[in-house]
């Protein structure tokens, strides 16, 4: 017989709802199981058997993140099946910048009231993100916190651990002038800049479910909820076939903050503005909010979710590998001497 506390329930925490949520999410978690998972759901820790075959100097790489105020869009749209993908993406896309293969993921969901069906919807997205990135969902935590979160709201965060052979970590010390910068397209706003987005569209007071012609007759709400693209599988293929010198995950801070993080002192990224395939949602944000171009590129990905630096001699091969893995990758610039960070011209 499972435990039950009437007193705790009267205080706002329903233990039995937690049990039901776990039962509902099990079918989603099972999709992510790999042969390396050595424990089931419900224990005090997730066990994972690490296979180091072919790895001479294993390095563990970890990443943690949340979904941020994009969750407000999920609340307004009452759609909770996609934000889990965002949560996974924001972690594994960071890990892949080091050339590491994500191994497993754990999530943390804090709610005002445990509604098992909603929890299962959230976890279904987490599971989908894990499937897309090839990692296992080996554990997590759901915390019911009445009085701390509103009844219909929640927060979602997680972390992932990956592994890479030390010799295969991108070495940006090999970067030189003339190296080429390749863009991997984003799926939309991804999961940053939403405090500004929500202000621009005044989402709490406007009809964000109405179709918008500029967005291909999708609504603002639907467009903004588009999940963050996960780049793990195409990037792993790229690392196997090309000498990748640097990778940047374009998140908060946009081009100006993220690209310089992967480039050594003495070099800058010269980006050709006309080459960037800016998505319609960013044009609408800029126009509606009267936001200048510098601030747009300093806040959003502008249609570029990840950038990769390779030598000029390997550009064609890199594009071919990425394209064969479903990425419509294209050149956006080159590495130049100087300490300007990013030059968009």
């Amino acid at each position: 017989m499972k435990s039950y506390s009437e007193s705790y329930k009267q205080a706002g925490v329903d233990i039995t709802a937690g049990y039901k949520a776990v039962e509902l999410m099990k079918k989603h978690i099972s999709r992510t199981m790999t042969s390396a998972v050595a424990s089931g759901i419900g224990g005090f820790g997730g066990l994972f058997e690490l296979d180091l075959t072919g790895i001479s100097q294993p390095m563990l790489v970890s990443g943690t993140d949340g979904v941020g105020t994009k969750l407000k869009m999920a609340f307004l749209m009452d759609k909770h099946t996609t934000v889990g993908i965002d949560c996974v993406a924001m972690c594994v896309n960071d890990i892949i910048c080091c050339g590491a293969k994500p191994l497993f993921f754990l999530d943390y969901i804090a709610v005002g009231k445990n509604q098992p069906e909603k929890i299962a919807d959230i976890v279904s997205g987490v599971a989908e993100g894990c499937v897309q990135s090839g990692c296992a969902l080996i554990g997590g935590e759901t915390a019911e916190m009445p009085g701390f979160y509103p009844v219909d709201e929640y927060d979602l965060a997680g972390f992932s651990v990956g592994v890479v052979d030390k010799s295969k970590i991108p070495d940006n010390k090999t970067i030189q002038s003339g190296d080429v910068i390749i863009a991997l397209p984003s799926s939309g706003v991804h999961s940053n800049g939403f405090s500004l987005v929500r202000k621009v569209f005044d989402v709490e007071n406007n009809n964000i479910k109405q179709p918008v012609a500029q967005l291909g007759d999708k609504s603002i709400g639907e467009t903004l909820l588009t999940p963050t693209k996960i780049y793990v599988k195409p990037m792993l293929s790229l690392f196997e076939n090309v000498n990748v010198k640097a990778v940047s995950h374009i998140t908060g801070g946009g081009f100006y903050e993220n690209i310089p993080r992967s480039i050594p002192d003495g070099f800058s990224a010269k980006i050709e503005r006309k080459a960037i395939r800016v998505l319609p949602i960013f044009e609408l944000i800029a126009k509606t909010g009267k936001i200048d171009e510098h601030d747009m590129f300093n806040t959003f990905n502008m249609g570029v979710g990840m950038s990769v630096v390779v030598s000029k001699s390997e550009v064609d091969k890199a594009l071919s590998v990425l394209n064969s893995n479903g990425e419509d990758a294209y050149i956006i610039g080159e590495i130049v001497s100087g300490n300007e960070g990013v030059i968009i011209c």
Side-chain angles (χ1 to χ4, degrees), residues 172-188:
N172 68 3
K173 294 183 178 64
T174 65
I175 282 179
Q176 57 187 6
S177 295
D179 285 343
V180 178
I181 304 170
I182 296 173
L184 278 67
S186 71
S187 56

Side-chain angles (χ1 to χ4, degrees), residues 58-186:
M59 297 282 288
L60 294 179
V61 183
S62 59
T64 185
D65 211 334
V67 184
T69 64
K70 183 173 184 174
L71 290 177
K72 287 285 188 180
M73 303 306 304
F75 305 156
L76 290 168
M77 296 293 288
D78 193 25
K79 182 179 181 182
H80 311 281
T81 56
T82 61
V83 288
I85 301 175
D86 291 292
C87 190
V88 175
M90 296 303 287
C91 298
V92 298
N93 283 346
D94 279 353
I95 287 175
I96 196 62
C97 290
C98 297
K101 172 181 170 53
L103 300 172
F104 57 81
F105 188 86
L106 285 87
D107 60 24
Y108 175 80
I109 306 170
V111 301
K113 179 178 175 58
N114 192 327
Q115 302 172 56
E117 290 77 12
K118 182 182 287 187
I119 298 296
D121 280 349
I122 297 168
V123 174
S124 73
V126 175
E128 175 59 28
C130 288
V131 169
Q132 289 184 24
S133 56
C135 66
L137 178 56
I138 64 171
E141 176 70 16
T142 301
E144 191 169 21
M145 302 170 66
F148 195 88
Y149 291 98
V151 170
D152 291 324
E153 296 192 3
Y154 56 85
D155 197 7
L156 172 62
F159 79 93
S160 185
V161 173
V163 66
V164 62
D165 197 320
K166 187 175 181 179
S167 64
K168 295 183 179 180
I169 298 173
D171 182 7
N172 68 3
K173 294 183 178 64
T174 65
I175 282 179
Q176 57 187 6
S177 295
D179 285 343
V180 178
I181 304 170
I182 296 173
L184 278 67
S186 71

Side-chain angles (χ1 to χ4, degrees), residues 219-234:
S219 68
I220 288 175
E222 181 184 4
T223 302
L224 292 176
L225 267 186
T226 301
T228 304
K229 194 171 188 178
I230 292 176
Y231 299 97
V232 170
K233 292 179 180 179

